[in-house]
Amino acid sequence: MSKIIGLIGGASGKDLTKQLHEKGYRVALVAGKNGELGTDIADYVLTIDLQNVDTIRSFFHDLNVKHLILGTGHRYAFKLAEELEKDGITPNVNVKASLIAKVKNDYRDLICEKGFLSPAYFTITNKDEMPDIKMIEEKVGFPCVVKAAIDTMYPQKANTEVELKAAIEEILNSGSPVLIEQFIKGIDITVPVSVVNNTAKAYAVCYYSKAEECDLKGFTHEEYMKKHLSKEDEIKVLDYCERLALASGFEGLPRFDAMALPGGDTYVLEVNSVGVTGISDHYEPYNNAVLRPLMKQGINLAEITVNTAMRKFGLK
């Protein structure tokens, strides 16, 4: 009887399940909600809140699951994988590295210490520690980009003190610390990189602006640089992201969002340590800008995720 692989799929659940089936494995899928992608084709399905660790542990234990693929970068998925790893279930990612990456300011500090570039930033953890706006302006300047440090809401751009104060209050009220970063005008790119056994491979420089595609607050269309990098600059960026992935300690298929300056530096904006690999309606702009163009080049990120995981697991 074929081996059963555990899967926390999210938006990538269906595509990852298909890839595992093609390799001859059965799939034990944990879904966070009814009707989640993959629940209609997986061999075993448990629909439950990802915080219910004991029930999920029993589900995998009863099926003798020893290997787990994460297809979602939700922080609860990482916390779950952290607990399951203690029980001898091997995840396809480095959970410790992924948890660091979920806290944007911690990840910024890490990569800057290792010599990589990231925009200047300022953090605010709660309303009681609200600094003078002039302090923020001196550190990052105007305009600036205001982000939820733990992804409770979309980033927004602040052009004035009034907009900055409003954005800070909104994010703190969402339950997240605030990350305020220097605005850098360059070429928006995202780069998927597979990492396994201390080897990294960057697949392509994809031209995707989340600010534009998701119509993020405060950004205007004339601010986007529509040009592409030269082939020489693209090769440099791919090498940069491979070195960054290894220095970050990632495993699996992280995807780096960056701002590239033509003929110059590349500034890392953030990383999804588990990149979305499956087509879904929720990610339609991303599908059109990244996944479908990659597929036309013969690059299937779901297939790469599974192949990378199998290499880590020592399976075929």
Side-chain angles (χ1 to χ4, degrees):
M1 187 174 289
S2 59
K3 183 182 289 289
I4 302 172
I5 304 294
L7 175 62
I8 313 296
S12 304
K14 191 162 193 172
D15 294 76
L16 292 173
T17 298
K18 287 180 178 178
Q19 291 296 324
L20 286 165
H21 281 167
E22 287 182 13
K23 285 186 169 293
Y25 294 101
R26 289 176 291 160
V27 178
L29 174 64
V30 175
K33 58 185 178 181
N34 290 323
E36 192 168 280
L37 293 173
T39 54
D40 57 333
I41 61 172
D43 303 275
Y44 309 94
V45 176
L46 174 65
T47 302
I48 193 171
D49 189 301
L50 297 184
Q51 296 178 83
N52 290 322
V53 176
D54 289 340
T55 302
I56 297 170
R57 180 188 289 116
S58 296
F59 173 67
F60 284 146
H61 180 269
D62 291 345
L63 293 170
N64 197 32
V65 168
K66 298 298 183 185
H67 303 99
L68 175 67
I69 293 178
L70 295 185
T72 175
H74 196 287
R75 62 185 182 274
Y76 291 148
F78 293 135
K79 289 290 188 182
L80 172 63
E82 185 177 42
E83 293 301 316
L84 294 175
E85 194 168 18
K86 296 174 184 177
D87 297 323
I89 296 177
T90 303
N92 68 316
V93 302
N94 179 341
V95 176
K96 182 178 179 181
S98 290
L99 285 170
I100 291 173
K102 289 301 290 184
V103 184
K104 291 182 174 64
N105 52 309
D106 288 350
Y107 184 66
R108 293 285 180 87
D109 290 343
L110 173 69
I111 63 173
C112 288
E113 287 174 6
K114 294 178 180 291
F116 297 92
L117 295 177
S118 192
Y121 74 90
F122 196 101
T123 58
I124 301 171
T125 57
N126 58 64
K127 293 180 180 180
D128 296 331
E129 297 179 4
M130 183 71 71
D132 187 282
I133 294 296
K134 294 297 182 184
M135 291 176 58
I136 302 174
E137 185 175 2
E138 289 175 5
K139 182 72 177 289
V140 303
F142 280 109
C144 55
V145 181
V146 193
K147 298 180 176 181
I150 56 173
D151 288 332
T152 55
M153 58 185 297
Y154 276 147
Q156 53 188 287
K157 181 166 164 280
N159 299 286
T160 65
E161 288 189 11
V162 172
E163 291 177 358
L164 177 57
K165 288 178 180 178
I168 291 171
E169 183 175 0
E170 186 177 7
I171 291 171
L172 288 175
N173 288 338
S174 76
S176 171
V178 181
L179 175 68
I180 305 160
E181 72 178 22
Q182 173 190 10
F183 174 74
I184 295 175
K185 185 175 181 178
I187 300 174
D188 280 294
I189 60 172
T190 190
V191 180
V193 184
S194 67
V195 192
V196 63
N197 301 333
N198 294 315
T199 300
K201 178 176 173 54
Y203 285 89
V205 175
C206 305
Y207 295 90
Y208 170 71
S209 171
K210 185 174 183 178
E212 181 178 18
E213 297 293 349
C214 298
D215 196 24
L216 297 186
K217 186 176 180 180
F219 290 86
T220 56
H221 290 288
E222 60 269 17
E223 291 170 337
Y224 308 121
M225 294 184 70
K226 298 296 186 180
K227 64 181 70 174
H228 284 197
L229 298 170
S230 68
K231 291 300 179 184
E232 181 181 3
D233 283 344
E234 283 192 352
I235 291 171
K236 291 179 181 177
V237 168
L238 294 175
D239 175 73
Y240 186 82
C241 290
E242 288 174 353
R243 291 186 286 110
L244 176 59
L246 292 172
S248 303
F250 293 135
E251 296 174 324
L253 189 71
R255 196 191 78 244
F256 297 97
D257 294 339
M259 192 68 74
L261 306 184
D265 295 324
T266 298
Y267 289 83
V268 181
L269 302 180
E270 59 183 82
V271 61
N272 295 281
S273 66
V274 175
V276 174
T277 65
I279 300 290
S280 70
D281 293 341
H282 184 65
Y283 293 96
E284 193 59 30
Y286 171 75
N287 297 339
N288 292 332
V290 180
L291 290 183
R292 292 190 178 99
L294 287 176
M295 288 179 177
K296 289 181 180 178
Q297 299 176 52
I299 301 171
N300 184 327
L301 295 184
E303 180 181 20
I304 292 167
T305 296
V306 170
N307 287 343
T308 301
M310 294 300 110
R311 286 173 61 194
K312 177 180 178 179
F313 301 154
L315 302 174
K316 294 181 179 180

